[in-house]
Amino acid sequence: MNEKIYVPPIKIQGIKTKLVNFISDAICLNEDTKWYEPFMGSGVVGLNLAPTNAVFSDTNPYVIEFYNEIKRGKITSGRVREYLEKEGKLLEERDDKHYYYIRDRFNEKHDSLDFLFLNRSCFNGMIRFNRDYKFNVPYGHKPKRFAKAYVTKIVNQVKYLEKIFPENNWEFKCQSFEQTIKEATEGDFIYCDPPYIGRHVDYYDSWDEVQEMKLRDELFASGAKFMLSTWEENQYRRNKYIETVWDGCYKLNIEHFYHIGAKEKNRNAMIEALLLNYDPKKVFDTLD
Ligand SMILES: C[S@@+](CC[C@H](N)C(=O)[O-])C[C@H]1O[C@@H](n2cnc3c(N)ncnc32)[C@H](O)[C@@H]1O
């Protein structure tokens, strides 16, 4: 797959936009394959592969609600434009006061458009909650964030979903990975992109060895084909769990650069890994 990558309206740390081609080249889906993505985040992988039948899930209720509201027609591209033009103008006038006003409002009412606003104007496009599950990412300090071209870009991202949702049989569920993987059976495909073990520190989404082992056991018990995204190494450390927890899986690697802020010197090289329970060479052979 080397077509233009569709970028979803929701951003998240660890988003796989730049790895979609690498990931999809090792996946072979046919008409009947049901796609399961238990850690959907932005959903960029499955939304680009666009299988006919899919279950996307995540424990973040606001991501799931956002996609469900587009599916139900409650959020439309027209409403997104109207909302972002209005709130974007107020952000330009009131700067951080407006950002924190929307953040308080979101933490009280959980409106999906407020979630989109925060996601696109907060610091580094992060999604993070405190122990009381209140969104706590500070302001990105760009009062002109919602300039006309940027609003149009987001509106088009939503427009694309409005078009493809009715063409496919896709469910969006707020649930933990165990529940989603239990729904999958032989003949299905599960793509997992959990918080990276040994790297991800978050107040809410803690991810440790116990979770990683539970994930492995559920994946093997499902009988489905699976692929897991994880990290292999950077200049300082290696992911020891590849040899322990995931021993016996097939593996593909690629180098990827994570950017922290806009400065070139803040590019961090990382070797990414895909772990699979099937031989990816067989998929590449079918493409020759
Ligand atoms: C690395 S992000 C996924 C990024 C996604 N592949 C993308 O490209 O946008 C990991 C996701 O796992 C979710 N998550 C954390 N713990 C979870 C759990 N126990 N079950 C399901 N999802 C979980 C987080 O909310 C987050 O959205």
Side-chain angles (χ1 to χ4, degrees), residues 32-64:
D32 304 322
T33 316
K34 189 160 182 179
W35 172 262
Y36 285 85
E37 192 167 342
F39 305 88
M40 75 167 288
S42 69
V44 71
V45 177
L47 293 175
N48 276 283
L49 276 161
T52 312
N53 298 301
V55 174
F56 292 91
S57 67
D58 202 287
T59 43
N60 183 326
Y62 311 119
V63 166
I64 298 299

Side-chain angles (χ1 to χ4, degrees), residues 42-256:
S42 69
V44 71
V45 177
L47 293 175
N48 276 283
L49 276 161
T52 312
N53 298 301
V55 174
F56 292 91
S57 67
D58 202 287
T59 43
N60 183 326
Y62 311 119
V63 166
I64 298 299
E65 182 59 14
F66 182 82
Y67 285 109
N68 271 327
E69 288 190 13
I70 296 178
K71 205 177 142 186
R72 291 199 300 269
K74 183 172 177 208
I75 292 181
T76 61
S77 48
R79 265 205 79 206
V80 169
R81 181 179 290 285
E82 210 176 286
Y83 170 94
L84 290 180
E85 280 176 357
K86 175 174 169 249
E87 301 299 345
K89 191 162 174 284
L90 291 169
L91 184 73
E92 197 174 334
E93 285 164 18
R94 298 184 196 157
D95 203 4
D96 53 342
K97 277 193 212 68
H98 195 59
Y99 175 83
Y100 290 106
Y101 165 76
I102 299 281
R103 198 174 80 169
D104 288 345
R105 186 167 82 182
F106 170 74
N107 281 328
E108 195 188 324
K109 297 187 174 153
H110 306 137
D111 182 90
S112 290
L113 290 177
D114 285 345
F115 179 62
L116 176 68
F117 175 97
L118 294 172
N119 183 247
R120 301 303 290 251
S121 60
C122 70
F123 178 72
N124 263 352
M126 288 170 68
I127 299 182
R128 194 185 61 197
F129 299 91
N130 64 18
R131 284 182 203 286
D132 300 324
Y133 212 57
K134 303 265 184 219
F135 186 84
N136 69 353
V137 184
Y139 180 37
H141 290 291
K142 288 186 186 151
K144 294 197 168 131
R145 184 58 165 159
F146 296 104
K148 208 170 178 182
Y150 196 64
V151 170
T152 298
K153 190 171 163 181
I154 300 171
V155 167
N156 287 338
Q157 290 165 345
V158 173
K159 218 176 245 175
Y160 176 77
L161 297 178
E162 276 174 335
K163 179 184 165 293
I164 58 167
F165 280 0
E167 295 168 5
N168 293 292
N169 178 19
W170 292 352
E171 288 178 274
F172 296 90
K173 298 183 176 184
C174 180
Q175 59 191 32
S176 192
F177 69 89
E178 298 94 323
Q179 211 173 329
T180 304
I181 296 173
K182 277 193 172 58
E183 293 173 20
T185 54
E186 219 182 307
D188 297 334
F189 193 97
I190 309 171
Y191 169 68
C192 288
D193 185 17
Y196 278 7
I197 186 155
R199 305 200 55 80
H200 190 90
V201 183
D202 201 306
Y203 296 105
Y204 183 74
D205 295 321
S206 68
W207 192 266
D208 56 20
E209 190 174 351
V210 174
Q211 298 269 77
E212 191 92 350
M213 281 165 49
K214 206 186 280 174
L215 175 60
R216 176 203 56 197
D217 292 347
E218 293 289 350
L219 284 172
F220 277 103
S222 72
K225 278 191 181 160
F226 72 77
M227 175 191 277
L228 172 97
S229 279
T230 190
W231 66 288
E232 173 104 27
E233 62 180 319
N234 62 13
Q235 64 184 120
Y236 308 109
R237 290 194 296 142
R238 275 183 69 76
N239 179 358
K240 62 178 181 179
Y241 299 98
I242 291 183
E243 273 93 42
T244 54
V245 176
W246 300 101
D247 183 40
C249 284
Y250 292 91
K251 193 174 73 171
L252 294 169
N253 290 115
I254 194 171
E255 188 175 40
H256 180 59

